[in-house]
Amino acid sequence: MISAWLWLLCFSVIQTFTAEAQPTESLHTEVPENYGGNFPFYILKLPLPLGKDEGQIVLSGDSGTAAENTFAVDPDSGFLVATRALDREEKAEYQLQVTLESEDGQVLWGPQLVTVHVKDENDQVPQFSQAIYRAQLSQGTRPGVPFLFLEASDGDAPGTTNSDLRFHILSQFPVQPLPDMFQLDPQLGALALSPDGSTTLDHALEEHYQLLVQVKDMGDQPSGHQAMATLEISIVENSWTPLEPVHLAENLRVAYPHSIAQVHWGGGDVHYQLESQPPGPFEVDAEGRIHVTMELDREAQAEYQLQVRAQNSRGEDYAEPLELQVVVMDENDNAPVCSPHDPTISIPELSPPGTEVARLSAEDLDAPGSPNSHIVYQLLSPEPEQGAENKAFEIDSTSGSVTLGTAPLHAGQNILLQVLAVDLAGSEGGLSSTCEVAVMITDINNHAPEFINSQIGPISLPEDVKPGSLVATLMATDADLEPAFRLMDFAIEEGDPTGIFDLSRESDSNHVQLRLRKNLSYEEAPDHKVVVVVRNVEELVGPGPGPAATATVTILVERVIPPLKLDQESYETSIPVSTPAGSLLLTIQPSDPMNRTLRFSLVNDSEGWLCIKEVSGEVYTAQSLQGAQPGDTYTVLVEAQDTDEPEMSTSTTIVVHFLKASPVPALILASGPSRHLCTPRQDYGVVVNGVSEDPGLANRNGPYSFALGPNPTVQRDWRLQPLNDSHAYLTLALHWVEPGEYTVPVVVHHDAQMWQLQVQVIVCRCNVEGQCMRKVGRMKGMPTKLSAVGVLLGTLAAIGFILILVFTHLALARKDLDQPADSVPLKTAVEGGQPTEEESEFSTKGSWKGEEEEQSI
Ligand SMILES: *[C@@H]1O[C@H](CO)[C@@H](O)[C@H](O)[C@H]1NC(C)=O
Ligand SMILES: *[C@@H]1O[C@H](CO)[C@@H](O)[C@H](O)[C@H]1NC(C)=O
Ligand SMILES: *[C@@H]1O[C@H](CO)[C@@H](O)[C@H](O)[C@H]1NC(C)=O
Ligand SMILES: *[C@@H]1O[C@H](CO)[C@@H](O)[C@H](O)[C@H]1NC(C)=O
């Protein structure tokens, strides 16, 4: 109790305090509509301050008069009151303002805002927007798709059950073919065909339906106000029929939008929608006319699928959408376009006609398979030359295949093929493009290298040309272009079996040098025919190399005879002045490697002391060196001449130094026992022994050499032939030598020593056995001078007779024998240069001979 009392106290204190302050908060209150009790209706006690009597309470409202009449403040209680019943539908809310003012109009308290809400009462009846609704219903409308929306209104507060409306179909007439052909959405008032109604609706059967519909408030509660309306529904035929495809030319020049088709939904309240797949410039207007809004391009899109929908106001399809196919008709608005090609096509030269060079293909974006894209090809360039039968290129107008024609092409040619591609199959009005293909004719190795000069020479080369010398330079060419096909190799093919020549060449050059590799020899080959062949390094294509692939170099070897050379520059010898005739002094011979026969001769042997063997070059003393003084020098010029090449000659000198006559054994006169030889000459001689009895001379080494003494008569009459190392054989040189006793001087050389033998030979007349005849008997005493003369004369006569006989005999018997040596000495024997000597000899020996004739030895 105490606490309650305290709370009240506190509350009043606070109330007082706050009242004394300001009534800031707006007050809200509610008044029921259509209040049926007594008035004034106390609504709310205003929080007026204490001492309110001092002032005057003023009430004002948003709509002044209404407030004044409808509301008041009871000054005693301070309550806000309503003076009459309120109608929410008239005014649902009042805004009031209360102030306490002094007499002079000064505001003592307030203003206090008060909002008065009128609490709704279901005092309003729902109303249809129309008493009769009319609608057209097309057959084919899908069930559940509303075709009519009923509208009804209720004046009660919105959002309350008082205005929560429900629609119902009360009746359907006719009840054909089913009683519930329609369905009505209770809350929305949307009228649609029921599923059964949809299937059974038949325009031919029933053209009109009448529905009685009701609208009721208070939601689903059974109570509430209600209203009714009539629906007149006419059934119409389904005009939502499929559409034929539309063919539309591209680039069509007409006014846009251009109508292309029309759809029609027979029912009312229809909205058309159009979709294009793919999206395209199409639209549909409210009347169902389908338009294209701009030009079409077949190449961009050849076909569109349009869908047209008939919808109710809520965007629901009444029926399945209609399909419309729009086909864009082609126009020849695209020229053929050449497809890109390799930058350059390479074709080997000499490729056979018909070889495909390129296959041109142009693309035309116009409709495939139509003439607009039917391309044919024409070769524009290169044009066949005027009047030329052969074409370099041919083209297949359909396939665009370019092939080689029969006109030849050459390596290195660059050709730009220009091909016209025309659509409309080439007929007039077709669009065209020029396609270009660059063609290069590549080289093949079809040319063999050839020599510029295939016959070279004759070239004369001296025999002594040094190996390595250049003989000839051979140049070759190759008509191919490709450097690799111009590479060539050279080789000696024939004419040089012994490898005298070889080829030298700077790498990759087109010339080669024929050089000498070995010495030439005139004796071995006086000429050469060297065949050089040139070949490609790369394999040759086509026919083989021609005759110019070989070159023949003819070389003539010039003989070179080396100058004559003797084994010494000059010859010198020293000999004693007592050197006998026939002594070998020295031998002149050609220098070593020379294999030539020479002929030697003395040029200015003015003293006649020397003689030279023409062939062997041996120099002898020709006679005893009479007049030569020791210490003197004798120089003789010798000429040597080549036997085979007489123009080749040389000369040298022989210098002979004379020495004092060697004292011992200058000439040892060794006389051997005499021997016999018979005349005319027989086939035997006497053996001369060179071995001396002198012990000082005997024990020497080496062979003995023999020569006849220098006396010309001796040299003429006798012949000395070496027998072995120590003996010689002395025979008669003449056929006939006068019989007698001879002393033949023989010079013996042995080991730098020289001596003379006096060989005693008795020449006698031969008997029939070819042996000496010797007279047997004693020697008579000294003959008288007369008798001696007589004997001499007699003997001479006898000899003369015999000589004549012999001569005649010989002349007759040996007429056929060529023996002039025999006849000459005979003559000399008779008419010889030394008759006195002979005579004296003869005289001294005559007597002995006389005896001899009678003795046979
Ligand atoms: C070639 O001849 C020269 C002199 O002419 C000589 O010296 C050389 O040895 C010779 N060579 C051959 C291989 O015979
Ligand atoms: C020298 O030449 C002759 C013929 O002229 C020949 O028979 C001989 O064999 C040659 N001798 C040499 C060593 O060449
Ligand atoms: C021979 O000729 C040579 C060279 O001309 C000369 O030196 C020499 O004295 C001559 N001899 C005589 C005997 O005239
Ligand atoms: C040389 O010939 C002679 C005579 O026939 C003979 O007596 C001598 O023994 C020969 N000398 C030699 C070395 O054969």
Side-chain angles (χ1 to χ4, degrees):
M1 283 293 275
I2 296 166
S3 58
W5 182 84
L6 271 174
W7 186 83
L8 261 177
L9 184 73
C10 289
F11 181 78
S12 42
V13 170
I14 292 165
Q15 191 91 330
T16 312
F17 174 75
T18 49
E20 282 297 333
Q22 281 297 320
T24 49
E25 280 194 15
S26 165
L27 295 172
H28 291 264
T29 187
E30 217 174 36
V31 177
E33 182 187 16
N34 305 327
Y35 179 65
N38 296 326
F39 285 92
F41 175 80
Y42 289 79
I43 303 170
L44 163 87
K45 181 170 172 37
L46 295 169
L48 288 168
L50 296 174
K52 63 180 188 265
D53 306 333
E54 294 166 18
Q56 187 185 0
I57 295 169
V58 178
L59 179 68
S60 60
D62 46 358
S63 49
T65 47
E68 276 170 35
N69 298 334
T70 313
F71 297 97
V73 175
D74 178 30
D76 299 325
S77 63
F79 264 83
L80 175 71
V81 297
T83 57
R84 62 173 179 91
L86 300 178
D87 183 4
R88 196 204 62 85
E89 281 69 38
E90 183 192 328
K91 191 167 170 66
E93 191 180 281
Y94 296 86
Q95 298 287 345
L96 304 177
Q97 187 174 308
V98 183
T99 51
L100 187 64
E101 293 174 9
S102 61
E103 283 177 2
D104 52 359
Q106 199 181 347
V107 175
L108 299 174
W109 174 84
Q112 170 67 57
L113 295 179
V114 182
T115 307
V116 179
H117 301 279
V118 182
K119 189 170 193 276
D120 185 44
E121 190 198 29
N122 190 15
D123 58 346
Q124 296 293 315
V125 178
Q127 288 201 322
F128 277 106
S129 58
Q130 296 170 37
I132 298 175
Y133 291 89
R134 290 192 174 81
Q136 282 197 326
L137 176 62
S138 170
Q139 260 193 298
T141 303
R142 293 198 289 191
V145 178
F147 60 91
L148 178 64
F149 290 89
L150 298 178
E151 278 177 40
S153 58
D154 189 302
D156 288 318
T160 64
T161 53
N162 296 343
S163 62
D164 187 9
L165 302 182
R166 293 289 184 273
F167 298 91
H168 298 285
I169 298 172
L170 296 179
S171 67
Q172 170 197 324
F173 180 80
V175 198
Q176 295 287 350
L178 292 171
D180 47 355
M181 296 292 286
F182 303 95
Q183 61 185 33
L184 184 62
D185 185 296
Q187 294 192 13
L188 300 175
L191 183 68
L193 272 176
S194 68
D196 289 343
S198 166
T199 53
T200 55
L201 188 70
D202 188 355
H203 146 80
L205 210 59
E206 296 297 337
E207 276 193 34
H208 297 282
Y209 284 92
Q210 196 175 55
L211 298 181
L212 189 62
V213 295
Q214 180 202 56
V215 63
K216 183 189 82 67
D217 60 12
M218 292 305 282
D220 293 325
Q221 295 173 29
S223 63
H225 302 289
Q226 59 184 30
M228 291 203 283
T230 305
L231 271 58
E232 302 276 355
I233 300 168
S234 359
I235 309 300
V236 296
E237 222 177 328
N238 188 2
S239 57
W240 197 243
T241 46
L243 296 167
E244 289 296 313
V246 173
H247 289 83
L248 206 54
E250 63 174 331
N251 308 323
L252 193 62
R253 307 269 192 280
V254 290
Y256 287 93
H258 170 65
S259 173
I260 55 172
Q262 167 97 50
V263 293
H264 181 251
W265 177 255
D269 188 25
V270 65
H271 303 274
Y272 298 107
Q273 289 292 328
L274 183 140
E275 279 172 31
S276 169
Q277 195 63 37
F282 302 98
E283 60 182 25
V284 64
D285 65 8
E287 280 71 46
R289 279 190 292 271
I290 297 170
H291 296 102
V292 60
T293 58
M294 54 183 281
E295 288 179 21
L296 297 177
D297 180 9
R298 193 204 66 83
E299 285 70 44
Q301 182 61 40
E303 209 177 292
Y304 296 89
Q305 286 292 338
L306 305 186
Q307 278 194 335
V308 190
R309 296 165 188 274
Q311 296 179 330
N312 64 14
S313 54
R314 288 206 317 211
E316 292 166 308
D317 289 355
Y318 284 123
E320 287 296 312
L322 285 185
E323 302 279 342
L324 175 61
Q325 187 187 23
V326 177
V327 178
V328 187
M329 307 285 287
D330 188 41
E331 188 190 47
N332 189 22
D333 56 347
N334 283 285
V337 176
C338 304
S339 50
H341 229 288
D342 287 345
T344 301
I345 293 170
S346 296
I347 297 290
E349 64 173 328
L350 302 182
S351 294
T355 303
E356 182 164 281
V357 177
R359 188 172 281 266
L360 289 154
S361 75
E363 281 186 22
D364 194 305
L365 290 176
D366 287 321
S370 74
N372 294 345
S373 63
H374 184 179
I375 302 172
V376 296
Y377 300 91
Q378 298 165 17
L379 189 62
L380 293 182
S381 167
E383 290 182 329
E385 281 170 27
Q386 284 291 320
E389 283 284 300
N390 300 337
K391 294 180 196 164
F393 294 96
E394 313 251 6
I395 190 163
D396 184 300
S397 65
T398 313
S399 67
S401 165
V402 180
T403 51
L404 289 181
T406 47
L409 293 167
H410 309 291
Q413 265 186 292
N414 282 305
I415 300 152
L416 186 66
L417 291 178
Q418 291 186 314
V419 173
L420 191 69
V422 196
D423 62 14
L424 293 185
S427 58
E428 204 167 326
L431 302 174
S432 65
S433 304
T434 303
C435 309
E436 295 192 337
V437 179
V439 177
M440 197 180 83
I441 309 298
T442 56
D443 195 22
I444 60 169
N445 190 18
N446 60 326
H447 289 103
E450 296 191 336
F451 284 108
I452 293 172
N453 242 339
S454 61
Q455 291 292 337
I456 295 171
I459 298 166
S460 289
L461 281 185
E463 226 178 349
D464 59 354
V465 169
K466 294 248 160 27
S469 302
L470 176 67
V471 177
T473 299
L474 286 79
M475 299 272 288
T477 57
D478 191 308
D480 285 315
L481 295 178
E482 189 68 31
F485 301 153
R486 297 169 62 90
L487 294 181
M488 46 184 94
D489 266 347
F490 297 89
I492 294 177
E493 199 174 53
E494 57 184 74
D496 185 27
T498 53
I500 295 173
F501 301 94
D502 66 358
L503 297 172
S504 77
R505 169 183 185 220
E506 277 173 29
S507 59
D508 298 348
S509 66
N510 63 346
H511 54 266
V512 71
Q513 293 177 331
L514 183 68
R515 287 183 179 276
L516 207 57
R517 198 165 78 91
K518 291 182 180 173
N519 285 342
L520 288 170
S521 165
Y522 176 85
E523 282 76 19
E524 283 170 20
D527 57 39
H528 297 271
K529 271 187 191 301
V530 180
V531 178
V532 180
V533 65
V534 60
R535 295 186 187 92
N536 263 142
V537 175
E538 292 283 321
E539 198 182 339
L540 191 66
V541 179
T550 56
T552 306
V553 185
T554 308
I555 297 136
L556 302 181
V557 182
E558 281 172 20
R559 187 159 184 209
V560 173
I561 300 148
L564 276 183
K565 211 170 157 221
L566 302 174
D567 64 345
Q568 288 178 31
E569 291 273 307
S570 68
Y571 297 82
E572 253 177 90
T573 184
S574 303
I575 52 169
V577 291
S578 58
T579 305
S583 303
L584 178 66
L585 300 189
L586 46 87
T587 305
I588 297 175
Q589 52 193 3
S591 72
D592 227 359
M594 295 213 188
N595 183 22
R596 332 173 54 162
T597 53
L598 302 184
R599 198 182 297 272
F600 298 96
S601 58
L602 298 173
V603 176
N604 58 354
D605 181 21
S606 50
E607 298 294 333
W609 281 330
L610 304 180
C611 66
I612 191 162
K613 287 276 166 70
E614 197 181 55
V615 174
S616 70
E618 291 166 327
V619 177
Y620 294 91
T621 46
Q623 53 179 328
S624 58
L625 307 171
Q626 280 171 0
Q629 296 300 317
D632 278 0
T633 301
Y634 185 57
T635 306
V636 176
L637 201 60
V638 178
E639 193 181 70
Q641 201 177 34
D642 194 305
T643 328
D644 302 323
E645 309 284 333
E647 69 274 13
M648 303 293 299
S649 66
T650 188
S651 58
T652 186
T653 52
I654 304 171
V655 180
V656 182
H657 301 280
F658 292 117
L659 307 173
K660 259 190 242 165
S662 46
V664 170
L667 269 180
I668 299 162
L669 293 174
S671 62
S674 61
R675 325 274 164 69
H676 291 85
L677 289 176
C678 78
T679 186
R681 193 181 64 201
Q682 299 295 318
D683 290 338
Y684 60 87
V686 296
V687 171
V688 178
N689 185 3
V691 182
S692 170
E693 285 86 30
D694 183 348
L697 299 169
N699 294 334
R700 308 272 179 155
N701 295 324
Y704 294 78
S705 67
F706 303 88
L708 288 172
N711 187 326
T713 315
V714 172
Q715 301 243 337
R716 183 196 65 195
D717 291 352
W718 300 93
R719 179 178 298 160
L720 194 61
Q721 289 163 292
L723 188 64
N724 55 24
D725 279 355
S726 56
H727 292 72
Y729 198 54
L730 182 70
T731 52
L732 288 177
L734 297 180
H735 186 68
W736 173 262
V737 172
E738 192 61 29
E741 197 175 330
Y742 292 87
T743 301
V744 181
V746 172
V747 178
V748 182
H749 279 265
H750 184 233
D751 201 17
Q753 292 290 330
M754 182 167 66
W755 63 92
Q756 195 165 341
L757 296 175
Q758 300 296 341
V759 181
Q760 300 294 325
V761 181
I762 294 165
V763 176
C764 60
R765 196 162 300 171
C766 295
N767 62 10
V768 277
E769 285 92 27
Q771 289 175 333
C772 257
M773 297 223 333
R774 184 169 283 184
K775 199 186 269 177
V776 185
R778 282 186 51 121
M779 286 267 267
K780 288 176 185 151
M782 285 293 277
T784 62
K785 204 174 181 180
L786 195 69
S787 68
V789 171
V791 168
L792 183 66
L793 286 175
T795 311
L796 280 174
I799 290 170
F801 179 70
I802 289 166
L803 274 176
I804 289 161
L805 271 182
V806 167
F807 186 79
T808 352
H809 171 76
L810 281 175
L812 288 173
R814 307 202 174 176
K815 213 175 207 170
D816 51 340
L817 293 179
D818 189 14
Q819 290 259 358
D822 287 353
S823 55
V824 175
L826 277 175
K827 272 184 186 168
T828 18
V830 179
E831 311 158 36
Q834 288 159 310
T836 45
E837 206 180 317
E838 264 184 27
E839 256 171 59
S840 64
E841 265 185 14
F842 207 81
S843 59
T844 50
K845 293 159 194 172
S847 59
W848 176 81
K849 199 176 87 188
E851 287 173 346
E852 194 185 39
E853 278 175 353
E854 284 143 46
Q855 282 186 332
S856 153
I857 303 166

